């Protein structure tokens, strides 16, 4: 006993520490840790009972518990009864029904009438012990026999001696066992001649005189017996006249249970007396004692049925005139039997367990589970696994009790029970824990969350209190109290994946650590929600196929368990076994009947569900064979051969395989003598293809025909074939004579042998023996039939000498041989002439999915008429690399219509001709592209995002439709705030081309918009996508303008940006041109004040400088002129007179005129915007791309070509307002680009921003600023005209000319990378206009509000912060390589397109000595005459300015 306790304790330890969550121990500690299992079983269970009305009925039942030896005081079970699933209410005063002390149910008097049947039904015994649980017995059927009723009664009949007769007596089926017969009112003793059939009828076979008399049928039930009418049976003598064979009783399909006995009736009458035999399948049934017996002249009695006895039984009756046959199928049912019974289980709460139950039976039993007498309903926690096993997830205390597996089929039902005991958490086999347990695991997180699984990870406890910790994860679905447990697979593992969760559901998780002392503390509860399942449907469960007719199969299935959205349709795929062609058909419901199938053919079938996302997961393939049928064609190659004077051999071949329609079980040979109508028949087995018909008359003509037989019956017969028996038999007393001749015809690898029979035709020849070999005829021997007259000896060696012998033989032996020799031909390589391939292959496109292929065949006559058995094979494939599978089709015409093609797809076609075994090569290919059709799917992956820093602008992105069916020519974006609005009420945004993104501006803030997209091609519009909603932000940022401007000013990495002058036009919020419209007056006052101040300074400076000598002034003038000539007119053959400026008041432009009061006025191209509204903010989104793009535009273009281009276009330059002055240095000016697309354009020397829709921003990559000015009006203004020649595309919202932004030159650091930044412009973009405001480095356009007329004043010295001695203030054209910088300009226009600006090339720089001289002149003082001239020019310009301001 101690050893047993130790073993059980060890088992409990294994349960606790080694088993995973889904494994439970079948052993437990039966000591103090857990209570032992208590046996509880039925010693007697009820069985099916036939009761008689008014008589008592007893249903036995007895339940026991415990072991009488060890538990003599085991509690008694309380027994109750259920009838038809409901407990019987047995009142104490109900004396008719009561439960006996042992638990049996006694019904003292069965009540049964037509309208009141209280006792008939299904009964079940239920036993309960309160401390253990409840078990239920098998069910038993109580049937009450009805009142005897005769549906047919015996009638007077006559029977000839030796013949058979049947006396009818059809009573209630349940009363047949109670029926018996009487003759002359005396009980009739049954025998092998006198047999009572299953329906109660009496068979009298091989009648004799003693069988005559009065017969009647009796049914003995409760009360007096009921008798039928009496019938006289008369015995007649046999007259010898032929009577047709006729079935009096045929066998009928019957179903019986294993172990029962069965009588298959077959009663035949006719003369001559028939011989009755039985066949099961294609095997003849032979009588065996105790198993099979023929009774009643032909009925088959089978004892103790087994499963092997099932099959189709045929009763065949023969006489010399005819053969008749009747068939019936015997089905043998097997009651359920347990292969594995459920076992008792110990488990802890939160664990998962599984009760196993394996049963067998025929038909396949259904399994139900019962817990404590109540049926278990499958749910999320009670699941039926593999159709039989019960899995319980997340055990709770209330799950304890008895679980029963009930298996049932038509033959019976059985049950088996098992007990589940829930252990307390303390009983783990450790009697006295001696140490501390672990603290709670830390940092429990869900590291991976999917739709149906979650992966948890955690860190070890802060206080493990031991090594080799194991962990248990407890989890439950929110809203349920069933907590499940899942243990880690090995010690120290700190992660686990919980599978089989429900999508879009919330779960709670906690983790507990174990050490050798037991369970530790639990972690905090972690709540995690699984992801929603947005996918196609899962496989359709429970797919079943049943063949209902030989040409149809009925399918049924259930709705998929998983999937997003309703199932729209189902598609059934089916394929004949052995073929690769799978066909499909749509099914709208959960069932479908496939029609037009081949008979007795195996098909594989699968089903796929479709929802709005597309096809789902396919079911597994199931196979089904259509029902068999009678053959639809006769056997083939029927031959009849006279064997001798009394027998004829009949031979045949089976029907074609496609016409057999089932397994051939036999063949029926019918034959008749001469012209007589009576036929005889013989039947063979399914594989026997010949039959010797003997017992025939000499010298008589017979006709034969053969039909094939399946289980469904006989098929059509062959045509009649005639043969005549010999008048006398041939002599076979000696061997045959020598064959009369032998001829051989050698080939390369074979020799064809032909011969004639012996001249003596009176000797029997059974066949011929052919011997052959190289040099000897005895190497190989072949025997052939006596009818054969030739034979081909195959597989011979070429160029070899063979000796051949031929002998005739019969039953006496072989005759005299005849010899011949032959030499096989030498091996030669044949040169087969292949067929000519078809020519002129053409592919004519008929529609979007059909192409007609035509060709010509040069091997045909000129009329191209096909008269032989040739056929053509057309093959085609697409040019898609991923789909190189060739498809083929055969035709006998010179054209073929290829259908089912994909739209807008290029296909290649080629043709091959086949004639017999000769084939041609493939023809040259022809190509055809199917027509386009409207897109059949909508654009996919539609997303809507907000544009950064522009809350009123969104960006819509999408992907092309998966089935475009042509080249996409555009998209239409529909958006609305009402998703249910009519389509014509949605706002439409067209998108041209195959762009996959689009911006929509000026949306309302804090509003939900819905977007749909529709693709179009040349054939029309496709379907709309599903609506995608997006909500715009609630508020617009107050510093949006500043952010937009600042975002367009990238800072070069590594540069130290000094504080900038936040002046006029600054993006930093000082009052100026970027302010509101209220600052107009302030701007004008500032301009006039500064202008007045400048005039005073100029006058004073002029007075101080009058002391400069006139010669010095002339030198300076000469140097300046030399510099201008070398820069502006380099390469020109003649000098152009610098134009004056006059003011165009309507457009506020400076126009060139013929005379110039001063050859070198200092001007810069600086259009002035009037209000801050005229300057639109720019979008920073294109900074990075444009900064990368600007390095790719490099190049030079001669200034003369630009000037010439300006002259051809006749464009007028904008007004140039000088803001800064410098010593006279040539500067190249450029007109700004009127961009519709670009926010920024990067130019090299001579380019500025557009005055209409853009203004220059400060380049944050620059640090030190230096002012520069144009040296001459020629250098500035001529370039203005030249650059304006590029076509100007106006913006969608042009600003007035007075709103043009200013240009200001400032100092800028040289580019450390030394890149020469070019600028280009396409034809679709406007030209550039403006000027660089520096001579050395390109300026950044940063407009200041102070000194707007500073360029009219005396030129100032260079700024003091210009520190690089290597970069003096030389003309711009002398700067090369590293000394050149780019200027970034911004233009507000249509978003989304970025085009490069046009390159502007600068002429070459003057020589270094001239530049040095000019630098010296810059540093020197101006002469008074020069200043006077400057002042005179300045006054003229001031008058023009006053005219502008007053206008």
């Amino acid at each position: 006993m101690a050893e047993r306790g130790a073993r059980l304790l060890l088992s409990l330890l294994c349960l606790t520490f080694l088993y995973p969550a889904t494994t439970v121990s079948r052993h437990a500690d039966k000591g103090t840790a857990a209570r032992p299992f208590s046996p509880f079983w039925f010693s007697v269970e009820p069985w099916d009972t036939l009761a008689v009305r008014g008589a008592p009925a007893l249903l036995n039942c007895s339940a026991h518990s415990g072991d009488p030896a060890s538990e003599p005081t085991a509690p008694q079970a309380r027994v109750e009864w259920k009838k038809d699933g409901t407990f019987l209410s047995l009142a104490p005063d109900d004396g008719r029904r009561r439960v006996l002390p042992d638990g049996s149910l006694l019904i003292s008097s069965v009540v049964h009438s037509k309208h009141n049947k209280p006792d008939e039904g299904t009964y079940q015994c239920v036993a309960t012990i309160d401390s253990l649980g409840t078990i239920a017995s098998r069910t038993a059927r109580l049937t009450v026999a009805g009142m005897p009723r005769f549906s047919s009664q015996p009638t007077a009949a006559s029977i000839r001696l030796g013949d058979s007769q049947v006396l009818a007596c059809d009573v209630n089926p349940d009363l047949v066992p109670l029926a018996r017969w009487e003759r002359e009112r005396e009980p009739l003793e049954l025998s092998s001649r006198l047999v009572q059939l299953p329906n109660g009828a009496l068979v009298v076979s091989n009648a004799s005189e003693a069988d005559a008399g009065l017969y009647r049928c009796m049914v003995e039930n409760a009360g007096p017996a009921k008798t039928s009418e009496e019938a006289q049976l008369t015995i007649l003598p046999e007259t010898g006249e032929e009577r047709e064979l006729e079935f009096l009783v045929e066998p009928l399909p019957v179903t019986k249970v294993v172990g029962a006995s069965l009588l298959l009736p077959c009663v035949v009458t006719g003369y001559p007396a028939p011989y009755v035999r039985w066949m099961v399948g294609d095997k003849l049934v032979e009588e065996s004692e105790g198993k099979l017996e023929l009774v009643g002249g032909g009925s088959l009695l089978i004892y103790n049925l087994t499963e092997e006895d099932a099959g189709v039984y045929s009763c065949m009756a023969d006489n010399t005139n005819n053969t008749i046959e009747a068939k019936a199928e015997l089905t043998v049912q097997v009651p359920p039997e347990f292969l594995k019974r459920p076992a008792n289980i110990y488990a802890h709460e939160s664990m998962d367990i599984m009760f196993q139950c394996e049963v067998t039976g025929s038909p396949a039993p259904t399994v139900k589970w019962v817990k404590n007498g109540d049926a278990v309903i499958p749910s999320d926690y009670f699941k039926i696994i593999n159709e039989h096993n019960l899995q319980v997830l997340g055990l709770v205390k209330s799950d304890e009790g008895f679980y029963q597996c009930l298996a049932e089929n038509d033959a019976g039902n059985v049950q088996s029970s098992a007990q589940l005991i829930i252990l307390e958490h303390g009983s783990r086999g450790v009697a006295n824990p001696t140490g501390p347990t672990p603290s709670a695991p830390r940092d429990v997180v869900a590291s991976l969350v999917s739709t149906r699984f979650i992966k948890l990870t955690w860190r070890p406890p802060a206080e493990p209190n031991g090594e080799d910790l194991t962990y248990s994860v407890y989890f439950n679905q929110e809203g349920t109290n069933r907590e499940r447990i899942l243990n880690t697979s090995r010690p120290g593992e700190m992660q686990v994946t919980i599978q089989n969760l429900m999508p879009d559901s919330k779960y709670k998780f906690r983790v507990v650590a174990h050490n050798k002392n037991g369970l530790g503390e639990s972690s905090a509860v972690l709540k995690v929600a699984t992801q929603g399942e947005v996918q196609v449907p899962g496989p359709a469960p429970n797919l079943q196929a049943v063949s209902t007719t030989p040409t149809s199969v009925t399918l049924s299935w259930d709705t998929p368990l998983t999937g997003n959205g309703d199932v729209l349709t189902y598609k059934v795929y089916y394929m004949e076994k052995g073929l690769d062609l799978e066909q499909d058909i749509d099914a709208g419901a959960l069932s479908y009947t496939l029609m037009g199938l081949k008979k007795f053919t195996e098909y594989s079938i699968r089903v796929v569900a479709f929802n709005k996302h597309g096809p789902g997961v396919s079911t597994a393939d199931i196979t089904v064979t259509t029902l068999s049928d009678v053959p639809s064609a006769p056997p083939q190659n029927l031959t009849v051969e006279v064997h001798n004077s009394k027998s004829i051999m009949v031979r045949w071949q089976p029907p074609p395989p496609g016409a057999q329609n089932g397994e051939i079980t036999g063949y029926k040979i019918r034959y008749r003598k001469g012209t007589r109508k009576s036929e005889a028949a013989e039947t063979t087995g399914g594989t026997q293809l010949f039959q010797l018909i003997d017992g025939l008359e000499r010298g008589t003509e017979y006709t034969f025909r053969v039909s094939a037989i399946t289980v469904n019956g006989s098929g059509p017969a062959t045509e009649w074939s005639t043969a005549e028996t010999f008048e006398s038999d041939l002599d076979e007393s000696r061997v045959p004579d020598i064959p009369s001749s032998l001829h051989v015809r050698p080939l390369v690898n074979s020799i064809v042998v032909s011969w004639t029979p012996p001249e003596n035709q009176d000797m029997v020849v059974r066949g011929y023996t052919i011997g052959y070999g190289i040099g000897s005829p005895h190497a190989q021997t072949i025997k052939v039939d006596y009818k054969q007259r030739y034979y081909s000896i195959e597989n011979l060696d070429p160029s070899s000498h063979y000796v051949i012998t031929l002998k005739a033989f019969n039953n006496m032996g072989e005759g005299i041989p005849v010899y011949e020799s032959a030499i096989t031909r030498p091996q030669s390589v044949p040169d087969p002439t292949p067929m000519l391939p078809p020519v002129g292959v053409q592919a004519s496109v008929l529609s979007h999915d059909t192409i007609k292929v035509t060709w010509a065949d040069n091997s045909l006559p000129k009329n191209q008429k096909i008269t032989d058995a040739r056929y053509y094979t057309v093959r085609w494939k697409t040019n898609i690399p991923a789909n190189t599978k060739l498809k083929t089709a055969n035709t006998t015409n010179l054209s073929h219509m290829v259908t089912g093609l994909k739209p807008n797809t290029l296909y290649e076609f080629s043709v091959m001709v086949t004639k017999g075994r000769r084939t041609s090569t493939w023809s040259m290919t022809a190509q055809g592209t199917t027509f386009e059709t409207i897109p059949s799917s909508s654009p996919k992956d539609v997303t809507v995002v907000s544009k950064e820093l522009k809350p009123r602008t969104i960006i819509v992105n999408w992907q092309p439709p998966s089935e475009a069916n042509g080249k996409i020519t555009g998209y239409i974006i529909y958006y609305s705030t009402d998703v249910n609005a009519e389509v014509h009420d949605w706002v439409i945004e067209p998108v041209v081309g195959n762009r996959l993104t689009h911006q929509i501006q000026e949306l309302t803030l804090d509003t939900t918009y819905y977007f749909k997209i529709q693709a179009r091609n040349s054939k029309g519009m496709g379907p709309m996508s599903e609506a995608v909603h997006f909500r715009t932000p609630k508020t617009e940022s107050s510093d949006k303008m500043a952010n937009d401007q600042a975002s367009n000013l990238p800072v070069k990495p590594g540069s130290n940006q000094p504080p900038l002058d936040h002046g006029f036009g600054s993006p930093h919020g000082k009052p100026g041109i970027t302010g509101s419209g209220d600052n107009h007056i302030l701007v004008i006052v500032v301009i006039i004040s500064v202008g007045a101040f400048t005039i005073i300074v100029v006058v004073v400076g002029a007075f101080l400088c009058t002391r400069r000598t006139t010669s010095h002034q002339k030198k300076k003038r000469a140097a300046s002129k030399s510099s201008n000539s070398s820069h502006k007119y380099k390469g020109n053959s003649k000098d152009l007179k610098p134009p004056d400026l006059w003011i165009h008041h309507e457009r506020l432009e400076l126009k060139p005129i013929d005379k110039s009061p001063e050859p070198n006025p200092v001007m810069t191209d600086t259009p002035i915007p009037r209000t801050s509204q005229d300057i639109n903010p720019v979008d920073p989104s294109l900074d990075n791309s444009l900064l990368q793009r600007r390095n790719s535009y490099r190049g030079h273009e001669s200034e003369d070509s630009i000037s010439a281009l300006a002259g051809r276009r006749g464009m007028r330059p904008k007004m140039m307002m000088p803001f800064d002055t410098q010593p006279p240095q040539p500067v190249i000016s450029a007109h700004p680009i009127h961009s519709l697309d670009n926010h920024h354009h990067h130019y090299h020397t001579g380019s500025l921003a557009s005055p209409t829709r853009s203004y220059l921003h400060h380049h944050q990559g620059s640090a030190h600023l230096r002012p520069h000015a144009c040296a001459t009006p020629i250098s500035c203004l001529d370039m203005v005209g030249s650059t304006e020649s590029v076509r100007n595309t106006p913006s969608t919202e042009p600003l007035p000319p007075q709103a043009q932004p200013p240009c200001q030159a400032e100092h800028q650091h040289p580019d450390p990378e030394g890149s020469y930044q070019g600028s280009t412009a396409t034809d679709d973009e406007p030209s550039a206009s403006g000027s660089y405001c520096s001579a050395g480095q390109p300026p950044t356009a940063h407009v200041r509000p102070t000194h707007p007329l500073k360029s009219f004043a005396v030129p100032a010295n260079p700024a003091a912060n210009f520190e690089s001695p290597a970069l003096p203030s030389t003309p711009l054209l002398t700067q090369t390589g590293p000394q050149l910088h780019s200027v970034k300009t911004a233009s507000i226009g249509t978003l989304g397109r970025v085009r490069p600006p046009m390159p502007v090339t600068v002429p070459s720089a003057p020589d270094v000595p001239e530049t040095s001289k000019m630098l010296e002149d810059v540093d020197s003082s101006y002469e008074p005459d020069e200043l006077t001239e400057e002042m005179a020019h300045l006054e003229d310009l001031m008058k023009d300015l006053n005219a502008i301001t007053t206008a």
Side-chain angles (χ1 to χ4, degrees), residues 1235-1445:
S1235 173
L1236 288 177
D1237 303 320
N1238 295 351
H1239 292 291
H1240 307 86
H1241 297 287
H1242 304 274
Y1243 304 105
H1244 73 55
T1245 7
S1247 65
L1248 280 179
S1250 167
T1252 59
R1253 288 302 304 267
S1254 61
Y1255 64 100
L1256 298 176
H1257 292 281
H1258 179 71
H1259 194 294
Q1260 294 183 3
S1262 63
H1264 303 287
L1265 308 178
R1266 180 179 61 186
H1268 295 278
C1270 297
T1272 66
I1274 301 298
S1275 61
C1276 286
L1277 298 178
D1278 282 2
M1279 180 53 76
V1280 170
S1282 66
T1283 56
E1284 198 170 3
S1285 63
V1286 183
R1287 181 167 61 87
N1288 185 355
T1289 302
S1291 64
T1292 56
E1293 297 177 5
L1295 294 177
Q1298 63 267 27
Q1300 299 168 2
C1303 167
Q1304 177 170 345
E1306 296 190 7
H1307 288 288
Q1308 185 176 2
H1309 270 312
D1311 190 345
E1313 298 175 0
S1315 61
Y1316 185 88
Q1317 307 296 344
S1319 174
T1320 65
T1322 64
D1323 289 342
D1324 293 336
E1325 298 188 84
S1327 61
S1329 174
S1331 70
Y1332 269 125
C1333 303
S1334 69
Q1337 290 125 337
T1340 58
H1342 186 71
V1343 182
R1344 303 179 184 178
T1346 58
H1347 306 296
L1349 304 178
K1350 181 179 178 182
S1351 57
F1352 292 97
V1354 178
N1357 290 331
N1361 58 1
F1362 183 77
E1363 48 194 328
S1364 174
L1367 298 172
S1369 291
T1370 57
L1372 176 62
L1373 299 181
T1374 63
Q1375 305 300 320
T1376 62
Q1379 286 78 22
L1380 292 176
H1381 281 253
S1382 66
V1383 174
K1384 181 176 75 172
T1385 65
S1387 174
I1388 305 301
T1390 304
L1391 300 177
R1393 293 178 296 176
V1394 177
R1395 295 181 180 142
M1398 190 175 197
V1400 180
T1401 308
V1402 198
S1404 59
D1407 296 336
V1408 174
E1410 296 184 45
T1411 305
S1412 302
K1413 179 65 177 177
M1414 292 171 65
L1415 291 177
E1416 293 175 4
D1417 294 342
V1418 168
D1419 294 334
S1420 64
S1421 301
Y1422 286 96
E1423 291 294 334
D1425 294 341
E1426 183 181 1
L1427 290 179
T1428 302
E1429 292 177 353
E1430 292 286 348
M1431 286 302 297
H1433 181 62
L1434 178 60
E1435 289 175 359
D1436 292 338
L1437 291 179
M1438 283 301 299
K1439 293 177 182 179
D1440 295 337
L1441 179 60
N1442 291 334
I1444 294 174
T1445 55

Side-chain angles (χ1 to χ4, degrees), residues 635-904:
Q636 305 177 91
N637 302 330
L638 173 65
T639 60
V640 290
E641 173 192 340
V642 179
H643 200 256
N644 53 39
S645 61
K646 293 185 179 181
S647 62
I648 295 177
M649 178 67 74
V650 183
R651 303 174 188 272
W652 63 90
Q653 292 296 320
Q660 295 181 10
N661 301 336
E663 183 179 354
I664 301 296
T665 59
Y667 294 92
K668 181 173 289 187
I669 302 103
R670 297 180 184 273
Y671 61 95
R672 62 191 181 190
K673 182 172 63 174
T675 58
R676 294 182 60 178
K677 294 183 179 181
S678 60
E679 298 178 0
E682 291 192 16
T683 304
T684 68
T687 58
Q688 184 175 332
L689 299 177
F690 62 91
Q691 179 74 5
L692 181 65
I693 309 297
D694 54 7
L696 305 178
E697 298 179 7
R698 297 173 180 268
T700 305
E701 183 182 82
Y702 288 88
T703 55
F704 299 85
R705 65 178 180 179
V706 182
S707 59
I709 303 173
T710 64
V711 293
N712 304 88
S714 301
T718 62
E719 296 293 330
W720 290 100
S721 184
T722 304
E724 185 178 351
T725 56
F726 297 143
E727 286 289 346
S728 60
D729 293 334
L730 298 177
D731 183 13
E732 201 174 359
S733 60
R734 59 187 179 89
V735 298
D737 292 342
I738 184 172
S740 56
S741 68
L742 174 64
H743 302 280
V744 295
R745 184 164 62 92
L747 300 175
V748 177
N749 298 110
S750 63
I751 296 177
V752 178
V753 182
S754 60
W755 63 90
T756 55
E759 293 181 356
N760 184 4
Q761 298 291 323
D762 295 332
M763 302 300 298
V764 175
V765 176
R766 300 290 182 185
Y768 297 92
T769 301
I770 302 172
Y772 65 94
I774 298 178
S776 171
H778 307 298
Q780 300 286 339
T781 301
I782 298 171
K783 288 189 176 184
V784 297
D785 190 77
Y786 77 96
K787 296 184 302 179
Q788 202 156 335
R789 296 293 180 264
Y790 70 93
Y791 184 80
S792 178
I793 305 173
E794 303 290 340
N795 301 320
L796 303 181
D797 297 332
S799 303
S800 301
H801 185 272
Y802 284 89
V803 178
I804 299 159
T805 180
L806 177 71
K807 294 178 286 185
F809 67 88
N810 59 18
N811 291 334
M812 297 301 295
E814 295 180 344
I816 301 172
V818 57
Y819 292 89
E820 191 61 80
S821 64
I823 300 176
T824 53
R825 296 180 182 179
Q827 182 75 43
S828 61
V829 179
D831 186 17
T833 57
M835 299 284 291
L836 293 176
V839 297
V841 180
Q842 294 183 351
S844 303
V845 182
L846 302 183
S847 68
H848 67 275
D849 63 349
T850 304
I851 293 179
K852 183 178 181 181
V853 184
T854 58
W855 59 90
D857 192 345
N858 283 344
S859 61
L860 290 176
K862 290 184 178 180
N863 61 3
Q864 293 289 290
K865 185 176 182 180
I866 302 173
T867 58
D868 50 17
R870 70 179 64 197
Y871 65 93
Y872 301 89
T873 303
V874 182
R875 74 175 182 183
W876 65 92
K877 69 180 184 71
T878 67
N879 62 342
I880 302 174
N883 186 13
T884 58
K885 185 176 180 180
L886 289 167
K887 295 185 178 180
T888 60
N890 294 333
T891 180
T892 56
N893 301 320
L894 293 176
S895 64
H896 182 69
M897 199 82 69
V898 182
T899 60
L901 304 178
K902 294 183 178 180
N904 193 42

Side-chain angles (χ1 to χ4, degrees), residues 151 255 424 1203 1282 1427:
S151 57
T255 300
E424 300 295 334
S1203 300
S1282 66
L1427 290 179

Side-chain angles (χ1 to χ4, degrees), residues 387-462:
E387 298 182 357
H388 293 164
N389 301 331
L390 174 66
Q391 185 180 35
V392 185
L393 306 177
L395 290 174
V396 295
K397 187 65 177 177
S398 61
D399 293 332
E400 200 171 59
F402 283 90
Y403 290 79
Q404 290 178 273
C405 176
L406 276 68
E408 181 179 11
N409 65 6
D410 294 340
N413 63 90
V414 292
Q415 63 84 25
S416 182
S417 63
Q419 186 179 7
L420 169 63
I421 295 179
I422 305 295
L423 299 175
E424 300 295 334
H425 281 291
S427 17
R428 295 183 169 269
V430 180
N432 295 307
T434 57
T437 58
S439 60
R442 298 174 293 171
D443 300 338
V444 179
V445 294
S447 59
L448 184 60
V449 179
S450 183
T451 56
R452 294 184 177 273
F453 69 88
I454 292 177
K455 182 179 181 181
L456 293 182
T457 58
W458 58 87
R459 293 175 54 212

Side-chain angles (χ1 to χ4, degrees), residues 295-541:
V295 295
S299 298
L300 181 63
L301 180 60
I302 308 175
Y303 298 97
N304 191 19
L305 285 172
T306 63
E307 285 188 85
E308 290 73 20
D309 294 329
V312 176
Y313 285 77
S314 301
C315 175
M316 306 180 67
D318 298 308
N319 63 11
T320 56
N321 295 330
N322 200 2
T323 301
I324 59 175
E325 178 183 10
K327 295 182 178 181
E329 184 174 6
L330 169 62
T331 302
V332 179
Q333 296 181 338
V334 181
E337 295 181 7
F338 284 105
L339 299 178
K340 178 182 288 186
R341 296 175 179 266
N344 297 332
I345 295 177
Y346 280 115
H348 290 276
E349 287 190 72
S350 302
M351 294 180 67
D352 298 345
I353 63 166
M354 183 179 294
F355 288 106
Q356 294 185 333
C357 179
E358 294 185 19
V359 293
T360 183
S362 179
T366 59
V367 172
K368 296 187 298 183
W369 282 88
V370 173
K371 175 202 167 190
N372 288 333
D374 296 325
V376 174
I377 300 175
S379 65
D380 291 342
Y381 297 96
F382 288 86
K383 297 185 177 181
I384 304 299
I385 306 298
N386 296 333
E387 298 182 357
H388 293 164
N389 301 331
L390 174 66
Q391 185 180 35
V392 185
L393 306 177
L395 290 174
V396 295
K397 187 65 177 177
S398 61
D399 293 332
E400 200 171 59
F402 283 90
Y403 290 79
Q404 290 178 273
C405 176
L406 276 68
E408 181 179 11
N409 65 6
D410 294 340
N413 63 90
V414 292
Q415 63 84 25
S416 182
S417 63
Q419 186 179 7
L420 169 63
I421 295 179
I422 305 295
L423 299 175
E424 300 295 334
H425 281 291
S427 17
R428 295 183 169 269
V430 180
N432 295 307
T434 57
T437 58
S439 60
R442 298 174 293 171
D443 300 338
V444 179
V445 294
S447 59
L448 184 60
V449 179
S450 183
T451 56
R452 294 184 177 273
F453 69 88
I454 292 177
K455 182 179 181 181
L456 293 182
T457 58
W458 58 87
R459 293 175 54 212
E463 299 176 1
N465 296 324
E467 298 179 353
D468 295 335
L469 296 183
T470 58
Y471 297 90
S472 296
V473 177
Y474 295 84
F475 64 97
N476 68 303
Q477 190 172 355
E478 198 169 61
T480 63
N481 59 355
R482 280 188 177 270
E483 191 173 48
R484 298 177 58 189
I485 183 173
L486 184 61
N487 296 330
T488 54
S489 57
R490 57 182 180 273
E493 187 176 21
M494 288 179 289
Q495 66 178 22
V496 70
T497 300
I498 299 95
Q499 304 274 3
N500 300 321
L501 302 179
M502 297 299 295
D504 198 19
S505 300
K506 295 181 179 179
Y507 287 86
K508 298 179 181 179
F509 300 89
R510 61 186 183 91
V511 183
V512 178
H514 309 251
N515 63 8
K516 62 182 180 179
N517 299 318
L519 278 172
E521 297 179 12
S522 172
S523 68
V525 174
L526 173 66
K527 295 183 179 181
V528 184
T530 54
Q531 296 179 359
E533 198 166 40
V534 180
Q535 62 177 20
V536 296

Side-chain angles (χ1 to χ4, degrees), residues 960-1003:
S962 56
E963 296 175 1
N965 298 338
K967 180 180 179 182
I968 296 297
T969 59
Y971 297 89
I972 292 183
I973 302 176
Y974 298 80
Y975 65 95
S976 172
T977 57
D978 182 8
V979 71
N980 298 318
E982 296 293 333
V983 175
H984 57 77
D985 292 332
W986 290 54
V987 181
I988 295 176
E989 280 274 340
V991 179
V992 180
N994 56 358
R995 288 173 42 211
L996 300 177
T997 182
H998 186 71
Q999 297 190 21
I1000 300 177
Q1001 303 178 0
E1002 301 302 322
L1003 299 181

